[in-house]
Amino acid sequence: MVKILILVTMLALLLSASPTLAGDQAAPSLTGDPMIKITSLPMKGDLSRIMAKISADVSRETGFAEKEVTCYWQTFDAIYCPGCRGAGLKKPIYVDIYIPAFVSAKQQKQLMVSLAEALARHTDYATQEVFIAVQALQKEQVYIMGNVVTNWKQVGGPDM
């Protein structure tokens, strides 16, 4: 009986101390389905695998469900950036994030930092070479699943 009591107590302490096991209280699951468009010069490596790793990292670090972190990659034929050389950058990488406007500014910042760090981890880019711009989309500005979004509930968001 004492062993069971000790086990239950330890389990309760573990669950209360671990955000992941206790329902991820530190990073609650967010809705918002960020669409992440990455554009770079051609790269070596399997971009599908790189994007899967980036999506997993961003999900873990922001609280967005991994199934909602959609990435796609396109390439430039060339980049002319005369200021890059002077700034010590070998090449820039551009990222556009499209996200519903109900995602808070704090969450958008966390998403940008997480994404830049994931790109640095899984590519040969440094965070200083990453340029990210967020497009916060308003209702009536999104067409998805055959409809214009007039209420965020249509796409799993809050009724705002």
Side-chain angles (χ1 to χ4, degrees):
M1 182 68 166
V2 172
K3 287 182 182 179
I4 293 174
L5 185 56
I6 291 172
L7 180 61
V8 169
T9 303
M10 290 180 67
L11 184 58
L13 289 171
L14 179 63
L15 287 173
S16 66
S18 171
T20 303
L21 295 175
D24 207 11
Q25 294 169 350
S29 182
L30 300 174
T31 60
D33 195 10
M35 298 286 290
I36 300 169
K37 177 175 70 171
I38 304 166
T39 310
S40 71
L41 289 168
M43 291 183 56
K44 293 180 182 175
D46 183 348
L47 291 178
S48 293
R49 294 181 94 178
I50 292 169
M51 287 185 292
K53 290 177 182 179
I54 289 168
S55 179
D57 286 1
V58 167
S59 172
R60 184 179 55 256
E61 294 169 10
T62 63
F64 285 104
E66 189 171 349
K67 68 179 183 167
E68 291 189 351
V69 180
T70 303
C71 298
Y72 56 106
W73 204 295
Q74 61 187 17
T75 56
F76 292 119
D77 293 329
I79 297 173
Y80 176 69
C81 182
C84 290
R85 190 173 317 134
L89 304 176
K90 61 184 176 213
K91 58 192 174 206
I93 186 168
Y94 298 92
V95 181
D96 294 304
I97 301 173
Y98 303 95
I99 197 157
F102 63 78
V103 176
S104 73
K106 180 180 178 183
Q107 293 165 334
Q108 291 178 33
K109 288 177 187 176
Q110 184 180 16
L111 176 60
M112 288 188 284
V113 170
S114 170
L115 182 56
E117 291 172 352
L119 283 163
R121 256 190 310 277
H122 301 295
T123 70
D124 64 346
Y125 285 93
T127 56
Q128 295 80 4
E129 296 171 302
V130 179
F131 174 85
I132 300 175
V134 173
Q135 310 293 325
L137 305 170
Q138 303 294 327
K139 292 182 282 187
E140 310 287 340
Q141 294 180 334
V142 179
Y143 180 89
I144 189 169
M145 297 184 290
N147 294 294
V148 173
V149 174
T150 57
N151 184 312
W152 291 121
K153 279 190 167 185
Q154 288 174 254
V155 290
D159 182 17
M160 296 176 71

